[in-house]
């Protein structure tokens, strides 16, 4: 009786092993097919990703240029407003003629710019 039990268990194990092996072969074939498809598409994906990367870099450079331009224009406009206010104050409060007030302001602003600049340039930024 025990021999019959072991024989039935052994045959069941063989059936399960055969089923597992057949399914593993099917899954292996599907994985190999999928791998071939991925290998075929890989160069296209790389090209697309490279184009996308270049586009992002181009957009980033444009954005940085726009930010720099806006910052420069902001400082230019601020300087022009300050210049106009000071010149108007010089004209109305000190009764200085307009051309002389503008020239005086230009000289003062140039001196301020000269003294604001560091005398020693930085070697490493």
């Amino acid at each position: 009786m025990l021999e019959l039990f072991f024989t039935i268990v052994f045959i069941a194990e063989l059936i399960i092993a055969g089923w597992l092996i057949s399914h593993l072969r099917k899954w292996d074939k599907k994985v190999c097919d999928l791998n071939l498809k991925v290998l075929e598409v890989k160069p296209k994906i790389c090209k697309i990703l490279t184009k996308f990367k270049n586009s992002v870099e181009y957009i980033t450079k444009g954005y940085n240029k726009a930010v720099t331009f806006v910052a420069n224009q902001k400082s230019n406009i601020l300087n022009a407003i300050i210049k106009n206010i000071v010149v108007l104050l010089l004209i109305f409060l000190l009764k200085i003629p307009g051309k002389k007030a503008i020239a005086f302001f230009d000289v003062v602003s140039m001196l301020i710019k000269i003294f604001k600049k560091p005398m020693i340039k930085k070697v490493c930024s």
Side-chain angles (χ1 to χ4, degrees):
M1 185 74 178
L2 197 58
E3 290 175 359
L4 182 63
F5 175 73
F6 282 126
T7 307
I8 292 173
V9 168
F10 180 72
I11 292 173
E13 287 177 354
L14 287 176
I15 292 171
I16 292 172
W19 181 84
L20 272 175
I21 289 172
S22 69
H23 277 79
L24 285 175
R25 283 186 177 171
K26 289 178 187 176
W27 294 334
D28 182 53
K29 186 175 186 247
K30 288 180 181 179
V31 168
C32 288
D33 292 341
L34 183 63
N35 187 35
L36 287 176
K37 290 178 183 177
V38 168
L39 289 176
E40 289 174 3
V41 175
K42 186 178 177 182
K44 294 177 185 176
I45 293 172
C46 288
K47 287 180 184 178
I48 291 170
L49 287 177
T50 304
K51 288 179 181 179
F52 180 72
K53 178 185 170 193
N54 292 338
S55 300
V56 168
E57 288 176 354
Y58 182 76
I59 290 169
T60 304
K61 286 179 185 177
Y63 175 75
N64 290 337
K65 286 181 182 179
V67 167
T68 305
F69 176 76
V70 168
N72 287 339
Q73 292 304 316
K74 178 183 172 185
S75 65
N76 289 343
I77 291 171
L78 187 62
N79 288 338
I81 290 171
I82 291 171
K83 179 180 177 181
N84 287 337
I85 290 172
V86 170
V87 168
L88 286 174
L89 287 175
L90 288 174
I91 290 172
F92 288 117
L93 294 178
L94 300 176
K95 308 256 193 241
I96 298 175
K99 288 184 180 180
K100 287 185 180 180
I102 293 172
F104 177 74
F105 179 77
D106 287 338
V107 169
V108 170
S109 64
M110 188 65 73
L111 288 174
I112 291 172
K113 285 181 185 177
I114 289 172
F115 286 117
K116 275 189 178 179
K117 289 184 182 177
M119 295 296 180
I120 300 173
K121 292 182 180 179
K122 292 182 181 179
V123 178
C124 297
S125 325

